[in-house]
Amino acid sequence: MSDKMRAIPFKKLLDWVFEEYQEYGTIFGIPKDKFYKKASDKQIKLFGESIGTPVGPAAGPNTQLAQNIVASYLTGSRFFELKTVQILDELEFPKPCIRAEDECYNTEWSTELSIQGAFEEYVKAWFIVHILQKELFNSDERTFMFNMSVGYDLKGIQTPKVDNFIEGMKNASNTPIFQECKQALKEAVSRFKFVDEKYIDSISPNICNSITLSTMHGCPPAEIEAITKYLLSEKKLHTFVKMNPTLLGYEFVRNTFDKMGYNYIQLREESFTHDLQYDDGVAMLRRLKAFAKEHNKEFGVKLSNTLPCMITKGELPGEEMYMSGRSLYPLTINLALKLASEFDGDLKISYSGGADFFNIARILETGIQPITVATTLLKPGGYFRFKQLAEELEPYLQNSEAGRIDLEKLRKLAESAFTDANHLKEKRLAGSRKTERKLPLTDCYIAPCTFGCPINQDIPEYIRLVGEGRYNEAYEVIVSKNPLPFITGTICNHNCMTKCTRLDYDESVLIREMKRIAAENGYKAFLDKIAQPVTKSSAKVAIIGAGPSGLAAGYFLARAGMDVTIFDKREKAGGTVEYVIPDFRISREAIQKDIELIKKMGVKFELGVNADFSIENLKAQGYDYIYLAIGAGKTNSLKLEGDSDRVMGAIPFLEQFNKDKTAIKLGKNVAVIGGGNSAMDAARAALRVDGVENVYIVYRRTKEFMPADREELNLALQDGVIFKELLAPLSLKDGILKCQKLELGAPDASGRRSPVAKEGEFEEIQVDTALTAIGELVDYDILKQNGIAVDARGNISVNPDTFETNVENVFIGGDALFGPSTVVEAIAHATKASNAIIAKENLPKTKEAVKDIAFDNERRLAEIAAKKGVLQAVTGEEKEADRCLECNYICNICAEVCPNRANIAIQLEDGVFKNLNQIIHVDGMCNECGNCATFCPNSGAPYKDKLTLYWSEEDFNDSTNSGFLLVQAGDEPLFKVRIEGKISDVKFNAGGKAESDLDPGLAAMIWTAFKKYRYMF
């Protein structure tokens, strides 16, 4: 593993492109159905040149290597802002250097290649893009543009090294790399269909007639102006000057982040005060605009540079990083408005700052062009996203010169940026999608939604079945692991959705709603075909508690053929869901349908029985196994000074609400103390009580730290609940709730900010009733009375693999085990305990329905591939299945998000793996940016953990990755192989059999790479 990228010689690059395309219909992993072909002949004019569409990669990781530029072109880019070069080339950047989980951060700022190396990459890309334009689209007219980028001071730019780069980009005809590429193409002319020597000779050596100046934050305005004048007059280049978002001022930026949910981003005020100031910047632009006109060159601004931020949570190595992406959009678009207004719209603006599918057409409509992107390309889908961007812009092309800005359109767009849901932090609060599963060397693909689900529900399978209208089969898949599809399809806290790959596109698939649709449409048919259960065991099971965990355990055990009875002290089954969850969240009919399923499976119920149970008595009655699902029935009390009779637990209140809401008297003003889902339920229910006018949620931290699901919190806000943040209740006297004011302290190492008291500062709220929602407690006394071991801290002694207690054949789960848990966690407890009981009885495991589901696999693969890289907002439940990327079937995220194409999916014919699609990492193409590690749903980093192909012995020895190096080619190739630190020589015979004890699967991968993907070597 080395972060040193190895440049691919032009001839080899050419072989790679055309061999891969001929064999697989892909180029650097881009399939031909993702190639962008314009539907019209409309273009835009920029700097005297025509470009097919005004979108492309910003100077950054996607324009550093030739293959990156080629991948961008194939998918729709026609304007290429090449990665910045500067005098200090071949820098050693600490790695990883990119973190694009949501908004993006980076710690590298210019090319990692030498200036000469960068120049050669750009020339190679220039030639290959010309060849592809002709071969793929039979077009002679160049409709793409390269724009070079340089920095960071005049002295460096004037050095021979940088000057030679600029002059070479202006006219490369006499450079060795230009001649080498031209000669290689002529030698390979016979392999082309449309390219001939005349076309090769026609390829212009004038690669760039424009440049973007990128200066470091803090560069003096006089220096910026001097460089720009030099580029315009001496170098005779059309010039964009990159401007920084710091021009908006610290207060504007800080306030914007705070109101849009990015208050955790830490800024330094000196980053603003030491940078170019707004008035100075405007004055400078006026002078430069006039200067450019005098020299017959075009001039404009590039908006915007990245924003320097402090590293506070170890996101990347170092102390400062640079932010881009959707959080930068409201800043950049407002800076565009502010500057364009200064010039009455007569200002060329090249745009980059959070542009993506959801705003790019509206940006172009204002007259801003070209538009470059970076962050969106670093997310799953990668370069594939360009095709959608280019197609989105095509209807707006006007065959016009980039120029005047429509200020009214820009004003409306800038104003909307602060409230646009696509750019608010709340849209992506889920955090990391990574699971705890260790990234394996092979067969790494997983559906993170399934791994995020406590019961490993087969989510992509049932979503596809719903999408195909196969509701009965979808319902069967669901109930193979989850006997409460109506309940979980309505009120599940959907951990699955926090892991959905769609979060890195737009927003999660509505997984819970898909489950509900399957339940509503597949329920009756499934119940009708349930036969009378066949008893397969003489053992009897008693379940204490008819809440979700007890119900689920009953279902699994009865399905396995056991005699099961559920006991509960209440008159109805359902537990908390039936008695506490308000009816405006879930209907009682939905709950009853799940209970009917469990009854149909053969479970018996004894309801309204004595709450005091005795394990000894149950065993005496012939019950061999007992599952305790007694819940957490005791309310955690909050001590408030004053009128204790006006303080009530949220759970007892909700029970009364469900029983008879008309009998409750709360007064006009109600405070709910707490921030979880129970608090949201209580607050929303209180608003529905006669006489209540105001309901407050009082919480000691801010909304973003509330444990409630975002959905429940937003519903409370929509209902009119008033949130009182950073308050700690002290007393309730004479209708006044007195609270200590708090503030969030400094972030700790994890970034968490704990509340601290603001000495002497209080807030008083008029309150008639306070409802406390600060958690529920388990009744440990009843457990201890039955001999179950509970320590002083309330930990119940259980076997973690079975949940069996210290009392033989007595198991426990649900809220009673670890305290209040979600419905799906309760089902997970029941699953584990039930499996343990079934194993004790030597009963056969239930066959999972998902194994019997048949799909048209070829069609399925094609449909998944078509969705890759396509952003699509939620449009309605009926189309939700179309948004699922089916990661359980094919993943390839690490290949998609790699700017350098260093992770490659190969197809094996040997059936040694679960999936024929496997990933090989190419060491020489990797700079260890870390992007694949961010998005891999496994716990690991593909650039470290996947089988690695090395190009040289030096690279092999510099690395610790498991991987292989071709030592000797021929019919019987020899490889040096390292697997988990062990190095061996592995020779293959002519038939592809490894003459060693190498794992057959790994041997198959190496042989397949050598025989079918030889261009990678």
Side-chain angles (χ1 to χ4, degrees):
M1 181 186 67
S2 167
D3 67 349
K4 296 295 184 187
M5 297 174 292
R6 306 299 183 190
I8 303 173
F10 181 75
K11 190 174 180 181
K12 180 65 185 173
L13 205 60
L14 197 65
D15 288 343
W16 187 319
V17 167
F18 285 95
E19 286 176 22
E20 182 184 344
Y21 184 63
Q22 182 177 2
E23 186 68 28
Y24 301 106
T26 63
I27 297 175
F28 295 122
I30 310 294
K32 58 185 177 184
D33 60 0
K34 293 293 184 184
F35 294 176
Y36 170 68
K37 186 173 183 181
K38 285 190 68 177
S40 73
D41 59 359
K42 290 183 178 179
Q43 301 175 352
I44 72 157
K45 298 286 185 181
L46 180 64
F47 301 147
E49 298 187 29
S50 296
I51 53 178
T53 187
V55 68
N62 301 101
T63 55
Q64 183 160 234
L65 299 175
Q67 63 263 31
N68 307 19
I69 296 168
V70 169
S72 297
Y73 172 77
L74 290 170
T75 48
S77 170
R78 296 297 180 264
F79 179 84
F80 300 87
E81 187 182 75
L82 305 175
K83 195 164 187 186
T84 307
V85 302
Q86 46 108 6
I87 186 63
L88 296 174
D89 56 354
E90 295 190 274
L91 290 173
E92 293 287 340
F93 295 109
K95 302 295 175 68
C97 58
I98 297 175
R99 179 102 179 163
E101 187 175 74
D102 186 7
E103 68 272 17
C104 183
Y105 300 97
N106 74 84
T107 53
E108 46 77 52
W109 54 88
S110 62
T111 180
E112 295 170 62
L113 304 171
S114 67
I115 290 180
Q116 179 62 26
F119 174 72
E120 291 177 1
E121 289 299 299
Y122 302 151
V123 173
K124 288 186 286 186
W126 179 255
F127 272 102
I128 290 181
V129 172
H130 273 88
I131 298 303
L132 291 174
Q133 175 185 264
K134 182 68 173 173
E135 279 296 286
L136 297 177
F137 310 121
N138 196 18
S139 173
D140 292 303
E141 181 189 6
R142 174 167 62 86
T143 58
F144 62 88
M145 176 190 293
F146 280 18
N147 170 257
M148 62 179 136
S149 175
V150 298
Y152 292 104
D153 61 15
L154 182 57
K155 183 179 178 182
I157 289 170
Q158 290 177 328
T159 59
K161 188 159 58 171
V162 179
D163 188 66
N164 288 340
F165 170 84
I166 293 173
E167 291 300 319
M169 295 296 283
K170 287 167 61 180
N171 187 340
S173 57
N174 294 323
T175 62
I177 185 62
F178 190 89
Q179 296 301 325
E180 177 191 329
C181 294
K182 198 169 189 177
Q183 183 60 34
L185 287 174
K186 289 185 175 182
E187 291 172 1
V189 74
S190 61
R191 78 192 309 170
F192 304 132
K193 182 179 179 181
F194 299 115
V195 170
D196 55 20
E197 286 202 23
K198 182 180 178 182
Y199 178 78
I200 295 168
D201 283 333
S202 75
I203 296 174
S204 172
N206 308 125
I207 298 172
C208 288
N209 72 350
S210 65
I211 196 165
T212 296
L213 172 61
S214 179
T215 57
M216 294 292 286
H217 290 275
C219 184
E223 180 79 359
I224 299 172
E225 188 165 355
I227 300 171
T228 306
K229 286 182 175 180
Y230 171 77
L231 296 173
L232 288 165
S233 61
E234 300 295 323
K235 296 289 106 179
K236 297 179 171 37
L237 291 165
H238 305 295
T239 303
F240 283 126
V241 173
K242 191 174 284 189
M243 308 292 275
N244 300 334
T246 50
L247 284 169
L248 292 165
Y250 175 81
E251 290 300 326
F252 181 91
V253 173
R254 180 73 273 164
N255 291 336
T256 298
F257 282 162
D258 289 348
K259 70 183 178 184
M260 296 189 72
Y262 299 96
N263 56 342
Y264 56 87
I265 294 175
Q266 299 293 300
L267 306 171
R268 288 190 175 99
E269 285 199 56
E270 53 264 37
S271 298
F272 295 78
T273 55
H274 293 173
D275 215 343
L276 178 67
Q277 299 301 293
Y278 181 78
D279 289 341
D280 293 337
V282 171
M284 179 187 75
L285 293 180
R286 292 192 192 282
R287 292 191 296 270
L288 289 174
K289 200 165 180 291
F291 185 87
K293 188 175 182 179
E294 289 172 14
H295 289 81
N296 295 314
K297 293 299 170 188
E298 295 184 42
F299 170 77
V301 295
K302 173 64 186 282
L303 302 179
S304 68
N305 209 337
T306 51
L307 181 70
C309 305
M310 295 168 62
I311 296 173
T312 59
K313 295 183 285 187
E315 303 96 326
L316 292 171
E319 296 180 355
E320 188 172 62
M321 56 189 178
Y322 300 91
M323 187 198 75
S324 60
R326 69 190 186 105
S327 53
L328 194 59
Y329 171 68
L331 304 182
T332 305
I333 202 69
N334 275 277
L335 180 57
L337 171 64
K338 197 170 181 180
L339 290 175
S341 298
E342 296 282 355
F343 294 88
D344 195 28
D346 184 19
L347 180 68
K348 275 188 171 63
I349 298 178
S350 172
Y351 187 92
S352 184
D356 63 19
F357 167 71
F358 293 110
N359 59 28
I360 195 166
R362 289 179 292 157
I363 295 171
L364 183 65
E365 275 192 294
T366 69
I368 290 173
Q369 55 186 23
I371 303 168
T372 59
V373 296
T375 300
T376 191
L377 303 180
L378 294 171
K379 296 178 183 292
Y383 290 104
F384 299 167
R385 295 183 176 213
F386 258 138
K387 187 170 189 280
Q388 187 183 28
L389 294 175
E391 290 172 345
E392 180 75 3
L393 292 183
E394 195 163 333
Y396 300 93
L397 302 183
Q398 300 295 331
N399 283 329
S400 60
E401 183 82 18
R404 182 168 289 278
I405 305 297
D406 186 323
L407 289 177
E408 186 54 33
K409 286 183 178 178
L410 182 54
R411 182 174 291 106
K412 289 179 180 178
L413 186 58
E415 288 172 356
S416 71
F418 301 115
T419 55
D420 187 333
N422 293 302
H423 300 281
L424 297 176
K425 179 61 183 182
E426 188 169 290
K427 186 172 180 180
R428 182 64 162 82
L429 285 173
S432 174
R433 291 193 310 101
K434 294 182 83 68
T435 66
E436 294 180 358
R437 180 198 189 222
K438 182 181 177 182
L439 177 60
L441 200 58
T442 59
D443 278 337
C444 54
Y445 66 103
I446 60 169
C449 57
T450 293
F451 271 77
C453 174
I455 57 173
N456 298 126
Q457 187 90 74
D458 304 290
I459 293 164
E461 286 83 358
Y462 79 67
I463 288 180
R464 172 161 279 273
L465 289 167
V466 168
E468 294 182 358
R470 296 161 64 181
Y471 302 115
N472 297 354
E473 293 164 282
Y475 184 85
E476 189 170 348
V477 167
I478 293 166
V479 298
S480 68
K481 293 181 177 179
N482 173 7
L484 305 176
F486 279 95
I487 293 173
T488 54
T490 308
I491 62 167
C492 183
N493 68 322
H494 48 62
N495 287 339
C496 54
M497 290 170 62
T498 69
K499 298 295 181 184
C500 178
T501 302
R502 268 280 166 197
L503 282 169
D504 293 324
Y505 277 69
D506 29 60
E507 53 190 300
S508 170
V509 173
L510 301 180
I511 297 170
R512 186 175 68 189
E513 283 68 17
M514 293 294 96
K515 184 185 277 106
R516 178 179 53 77
I517 290 170
E520 289 172 347
N521 292 277
Y523 164 76
K524 188 176 185 304
F526 185 82
L527 253 67
D528 289 346
K529 77 174 187 178
I530 295 178
Q532 197 62 29
V534 177
T535 303
K536 300 174 184 175
S537 169
S538 59
K540 292 174 64 180
V541 183
I543 296 175
I544 311 302
S549 197
L551 292 171
Y555 175 86
F556 294 133
L557 294 167
R559 186 180 65 182
M562 301 188 75
D563 183 330
V564 182
T565 303
I566 297 179
F567 299 85
D568 199 285
K569 64 184 178 182
R570 298 183 184 274
E571 299 297 328
K572 295 180 183 178
T576 296
V577 179
E578 171 68 35
Y579 284 92
V580 176
I581 304 295
D583 56 6
F584 55 79
R585 279 192 61 203
I586 183 168
S587 72
R588 269 46 202 165
E589 291 77 14
I591 301 169
Q592 194 57 40
K593 285 179 178 177
D594 283 342
I595 293 170
E596 285 303 314
L597 168 66
I598 291 155
K599 287 180 177 177
K600 190 72 183 286
M601 196 55 70
V603 176
K604 294 171 284 190
F605 287 83
E606 290 197 21
L607 303 173
V609 298
N610 192 330
D612 295 326
F613 69 89
S614 164
I615 290 174
E616 187 178 338
N617 288 344
L618 288 169
K619 287 188 173 183
Q621 293 173 40
Y623 290 102
D624 302 280
Y625 300 96
I626 297 167
Y627 181 64
L628 303 178
I630 60 173
K634 296 174 72 174
T635 300
N636 202 357
S637 60
L638 173 70
K639 295 194 184 320
L640 282 178
E641 292 182 22
D643 306 327
S644 58
D645 59 324
R646 302 307 301 166
V647 180
M648 184 181 188
I651 301 303
F653 159 69
L654 286 167
E655 291 192 38
Q656 288 187 31
F657 179 86
N658 282 334
K659 185 177 181 180
D660 183 4
K661 59 178 68 72
T662 63
I664 303 173
K665 305 297 180 188
L666 297 176
K668 289 184 179 181
N669 301 298
V670 178
V672 179
I673 299 165
N677 284 344
S678 293
M680 303 303 144
D681 283 345
R684 296 180 67 203
L687 276 174
R688 289 162 169 81
V689 172
D690 286 345
V692 173
E693 296 178 2
N694 299 302
V695 174
Y696 307 95
I697 282 184
V698 180
Y699 192 62
R700 63 196 309 269
R701 306 182 82 208
T702 52
K703 277 198 290 289
E704 62 263 35
F705 294 106
M706 288 183 178
D709 297 342
R710 292 331 313 172
E711 178 185 16
E712 302 306 323
L713 189 151
N714 288 332
L715 286 170
L717 284 169
Q718 290 170 24
D719 279 0
V721 174
I722 302 164
F723 282 70
K724 293 284 190 178
E725 302 170 292
L726 295 170
L727 295 177
L730 300 173
S731 64
L732 177 59
K733 296 178 182 177
D734 301 323
I736 298 295
L737 181 68
K738 184 178 181 181
C739 302
Q740 169 73 61
K741 286 187 178 182
L742 308 170
E743 61 184 347
L744 293 178
D748 60 19
S750 69
R752 185 178 176 86
R753 301 172 67 191
S754 297
V756 293
K758 297 174 79 172
E759 291 298 326
E761 295 190 37
F762 304 93
E763 182 170 338
E764 295 184 343
I765 309 169
Q766 275 200 316
V767 168
D768 298 301
T769 303
L771 303 175
T772 61
I774 55 173
E776 295 79 55
L777 302 173
V778 177
D779 188 348
Y780 295 114
D781 291 340
I782 198 169
L783 298 178
K784 293 174 183 177
Q785 289 164 13
N786 281 276
I788 293 169
V790 181
D791 68 20
R793 302 181 66 181
N795 298 313
I796 300 169
S797 177
V798 293
N799 180 330
D801 297 322
T802 63
F803 291 160
E804 185 173 10
T805 69
N806 60 297
V807 180
E808 186 179 8
N809 291 341
V810 176
F811 299 76
I812 190 167
D815 292 352
L817 180 55
F818 299 123
S821 55
T822 64
V823 171
V824 73
E825 286 169 342
I827 297 172
H829 297 169
T831 303
K832 184 177 283 191
S834 299
N835 287 341
I837 293 170
I838 291 167
K840 281 196 172 194
E841 286 296 299
N842 293 314
L843 294 171
K845 288 185 176 179
T846 303
K847 185 170 64 175
E848 290 186 18
V850 71
K851 300 287 174 61
D852 299 328
I853 298 300
F855 293 116
D856 178 340
N857 289 331
E858 190 171 330
R859 176 169 64 87
R860 189 181 187 190
L861 277 172
E863 289 176 355
I864 295 169
K867 290 184 276 192
K868 291 281 190 174
V870 179
L871 279 69
Q872 181 183 354
V874 174
T875 56
E877 292 174 354
E878 67 279 0
K879 293 187 176 181
E880 268 305 278
D882 295 340
R883 299 178 63 245
C884 178
L885 295 163
E886 299 185 69
C887 310
N888 64 311
Y889 199 68
I890 190 164
C891 177
N892 292 350
I893 286 175
C894 63
E896 294 166 16
V897 303
C898 177
N900 299 349
R901 322 313 290 149
N903 298 319
I904 298 174
I906 67 169
Q907 296 293 315
L908 275 73
E909 294 178 354
D910 195 306
V912 295
F913 294 118
K914 290 187 294 180
N915 192 317
L916 299 182
N917 183 93
Q918 299 293 331
I919 296 292
I920 283 181
H921 176 69
V922 182
D923 178 78
M925 296 165 73
C926 178
N927 64 337
E928 296 184 20
C929 72
N931 201 47
C932 62
T934 295
F935 291 104
C936 175
N938 295 283
S939 179
Y943 73 96
K944 296 179 182 178
D945 300 329
K946 299 307 293 180
L947 190 67
T948 299
L949 165 63
Y950 297 96
W951 287 343
S952 71
E953 183 121 19
E954 177 189 357
D955 289 345
F956 184 94
N957 293 334
D958 280 348
S959 175
T960 58
N961 284 16
S962 292
F964 59 102
L965 168 71
L966 177 63
V967 176
Q968 178 183 309
D971 292 336
E972 297 186 345
L974 175 67
F975 294 88
K976 180 178 283 190
V977 178
R978 176 173 51 237
I979 303 297
E980 295 182 350
K982 181 182 177 182
I983 298 176
S984 59
D985 290 331
V986 178
K987 188 174 185 180
F988 287 81
N989 63 27
K993 182 175 176 57
E995 298 175 357
S996 75
D997 59 355
L998 182 65
D999 176 86
L1002 298 177
M1005 284 183 68
I1006 295 171
W1007 177 254
T1008 300
F1010 176 72
K1011 294 297 289 184
K1012 298 188 69 177
Y1013 299 84
R1014 190 65 181 276
Y1015 49 80
M1016 296 192 307
F1017 284 76

